[in-house]
Amino acid sequence: EDKVVQSPLSLVVHEGDTVTLNCSYEVTNFRSLLWYKQEKKAPTFLFMLTSSGIEKKSGRLSSILDKKELFSILNITATQTGDSAIYLCAVIEYGDNNDMRFGAGTRLTVKP
Amino acid sequence: DGGITQSPKYLFRKEGQNVTLSCEQNLNHDAMYWYRQDPGQGLRLIYYSQIVNDFQKGDIAEGYSVSREKKESFPLTVTSAQKNPTAFYLCASSPPPFRDTEAFFGQGTRLTVV
């Protein structure tokens, strides 16, 4: 079963638009949720979320976690063509199953 | 500088051959992971290891093997039993649970079966 589900899988917008990417998860011993941006090779880190309701912000990007409803969103405002990438969500658990599971990713394309 | 190094960047393999992908980290991280990424898709977990001499299968472990003889190293062998090995392979490591920092990735190895 999928532990981490991202939606949408693909998204095409125009520069200046605002986008919201979703990540829902189902794990037993939640530790943290991470967002990464992957343009070509290695994913680059965006945010780590461990507490509900606390927004993390970096420039035009922001993210928030809801541990009750088991999801996180990643917002990008005033999108630019350089935001085009695959956005990956991962969940790390505590305990015996201490793995790091990724969702399928959202491929964002920002057109000029 | 601290980081994760994967080698080689590109690898070609003939069908029926085993091949080993290298992953080394000097971050003193306990946990290490191997993922496979197919074009346009997310990362699927192959194997992970929390401590030396211990590792667990991920979602797609069939046809792969790993070892963790040293904390710094987590090599992945793609065996001839893996039916569709052509993919991009990423190695990652993460710190102990008491340190809430992100996982780090290597630059990946692109494996092509010819």
Side-chain angles (χ1 to χ4, degrees):
Chain A
E1 72 286 358
D2 288 338
K3 287 190 173 184
V4 183
V5 179
Q6 291 186 246
S7 64
L9 294 180
S10 181
L11 189 56
V12 180
V13 300
H14 288 92
E15 274 190 317
D17 289 348
T18 293
V19 298
T20 298
L21 310 183
N22 302 288
C23 177
S24 63
Y25 62 91
E26 185 175 339
V27 299
T28 306
N29 296 304
F30 176 84
R31 170 186 161 190
S32 57
L33 184 145
L34 301 95
W35 283 98
Y36 285 86
K37 176 183 181 183
Q38 186 182 27
E39 293 179 84
K40 290 186 179 179
K41 292 189 175 180
T44 53
F45 173 75
L46 294 175
F47 298 110
M48 169 178 271
L49 304 160
T50 56
S51 301
S52 267
I54 300 174
E55 184 183 51
K56 294 214 172 179
K57 196 170 173 66
S58 176
R60 296 176 294 104
L61 278 66
S62 64
S63 184
I64 197 163
L65 175 69
D66 186 328
K67 291 170 75 173
K68 182 179 177 184
E69 300 297 330
L70 308 183
F71 77 91
S72 173
I73 60 172
L74 174 69
N75 280 321
I76 308 175
T77 60
T79 52
Q80 302 171 358
T81 55
D83 294 328
S84 296
I86 297 176
Y87 289 84
L88 298 163
C89 170
V91 172
I92 300 180
E93 294 182 78
Y94 284 112
D96 294 340
N97 291 325
N98 222 2
D99 54 6
M100 180 168 63
R101 297 298 181 100
F102 281 82
T106 294
R107 178 177 287 279
L108 174 65
T109 303
V110 181
K111 293 188 173 182
Chain B
D1 289 349
I4 300 182
T5 302
Q6 286 187 243
S7 61
K9 289 185 179 179
Y10 299 95
L11 190 56
F12 294 88
R13 190 197 88 175
K14 292 184 179 180
E15 282 192 27
Q17 287 181 337
N18 292 355
V19 64
T20 297
L21 282 59
S22 171
C23 178
E24 304 276 334
Q25 54 101 358
N26 60 4
L27 300 164
N28 200 32
H29 285 174
D30 290 315
M32 297 186 74
Y33 312 83
W34 273 107
Y35 297 92
R36 169 184 172 137
Q37 187 174 35
D38 293 288
Q41 297 188 27
L43 278 61
R44 292 187 289 168
L45 184 64
I46 305 173
Y47 270 97
Y48 64 102
S49 168
Q50 298 300 317
I51 56 173
V52 174
N53 291 324
D54 188 50
F55 46 83
Q56 285 78 42
K57 293 182 178 180
D59 297 323
I60 55 167
E62 185 175 351
Y64 299 97
S65 66
V66 293
S67 63
R68 188 85 186 276
E69 297 177 2
K70 299 185 301 180
K71 188 176 186 178
E72 301 79 18
S73 178
F74 192 40
L76 174 74
T77 297
V78 184
T79 75
S80 56
Q82 168 51 235
K83 298 303 179 188
N84 186 22
T86 295
F88 185 56
Y89 291 87
L90 279 163
C91 177
S93 71
S94 65
F98 55 83
R99 285 182 51 209
D100 269 335
T101 59
E102 72 272 22
F104 292 83
F105 283 86
Q107 288 299 307
T109 293
R110 189 168 298 280
L111 173 63
T112 303
V113 173
V114 296

